[in-house]
Amino acid sequence: QKLILGVDRLDYIKGIPLKLKAIERFFERNPKWIGKLVLLQIAVPSRGAVNEYKKLRRQTHELVGRINGRFGSFDTGVPIHYLDKTVPFDQLCALYRFADSVLITSVRDGMNLVAYEYIVCQKEKHGVLILSEFAGAAQSLGAGCVQVNPWNVNECARAIKYALEMSEKEKKRFHEYAFQHVYTHDTKAWANEFISALSEIDIEEKKKTKDMMGRRLY
């Protein structure tokens, strides 16, 4: 049995309902995977007192219930396990290591560190990252992940199939590219690049000042 992992804050920008609809479409088009694939979605509670977020929580629960009702059975179990809770980081790392794929369907996002954490934890297994093109990490991980437009449910369903059926050679190639970027672009590298850029600006400003003083003297 294969495991796809989702780790998101319960927020509109994270696109959890779109992820669930993509899983539903995948099972519709690939019934042979029923009973062979499970999505474990961790939805960390957020702004629980706000009505709009209560509505989002209810919507996701309804989707999970509908999909499990359609594709689950006594023999195969349910295809989606949905957790409304925070998972300790050590347990989360274990899930990252075990998962065959991580699915991120943000419709608007920052860097999204889940993508980086998964890559680091998959050094041996070479799981496949399916990443929204609207996440900041998509710009840096590039060829090291399968990029999707989360609004396109059919595209996401095809990406899930592609990731699950990818050859070991191709998975290794994807992972090596992504891991190399994560390994070389740590906070130290970022700080050095930032300081270097500041130094270049300082040198340029000093040159401009010197040129202006020279013209005034002339």
Side-chain angles (χ1 to χ4, degrees), residues 80-214:
I80 299 176
H81 294 272
Y82 186 90
L83 303 179
D84 280 305
K85 60 181 293 185
T86 300
V87 175
F89 189 66
D90 58 338
Q91 296 179 24
L92 187 58
C93 288
L95 289 171
Y96 283 144
R97 188 177 176 86
F98 184 74
D100 296 284
S101 181
V102 157
L103 178 57
I104 298 172
T105 53
S106 308
V107 296
R108 183 185 301 173
D109 212 344
M111 186 58 69
N112 196 304
L113 294 180
V114 168
Y116 288 84
E117 292 166 354
Y118 179 63
I119 292 299
V120 170
C121 291
Q122 282 288 319
K123 190 174 181 181
E124 297 175 0
K125 190 174 180 180
H126 306 146
V128 182
L129 173 65
I130 306 172
L131 181 61
S132 166
E133 63 186 40
F134 302 119
Q139 303 302 314
S140 54
L141 295 179
C145 63
V146 179
Q147 292 192 30
V148 295
N149 178 350
W151 295 105
N152 189 330
V153 175
N154 292 329
E155 179 184 321
C156 290
R158 289 193 296 269
I160 292 169
K161 185 176 188 293
Y162 177 49
L164 291 174
E165 298 178 355
M166 190 181 292
S167 68
E168 291 299 322
K169 183 179 180 180
E170 192 172 12
K171 286 197 291 186
K172 184 178 180 181
R173 178 175 61 81
F174 267 67
H175 181 268
E176 285 179 347
Y177 181 96
F179 186 84
Q180 180 64 21
H181 177 86
V182 175
Y183 184 76
T184 56
H185 290 73
D186 57 6
T187 52
K188 182 179 179 181
W190 177 85
N192 288 338
E193 184 177 341
F194 185 74
I195 292 171
S196 177
L198 285 177
S199 298
E200 290 178 7
I201 292 171
D202 184 54
I203 292 171
E204 189 67 25
E205 288 299 317
K206 287 179 178 178
K207 183 180 178 181
K208 288 180 180 178
T209 302
K210 185 177 180 181
D211 288 344
M212 289 177 64
M213 293 296 292

Side-chain angles (χ1 to χ4, degrees), residues 38-42 64 68 77-83:
V38 170
L39 168 67
L40 173 58
Q41 176 62 50
I42 299 170
V64 170
N68 283 343
V78 293
I80 299 176
H81 294 272
Y82 186 90
L83 303 179

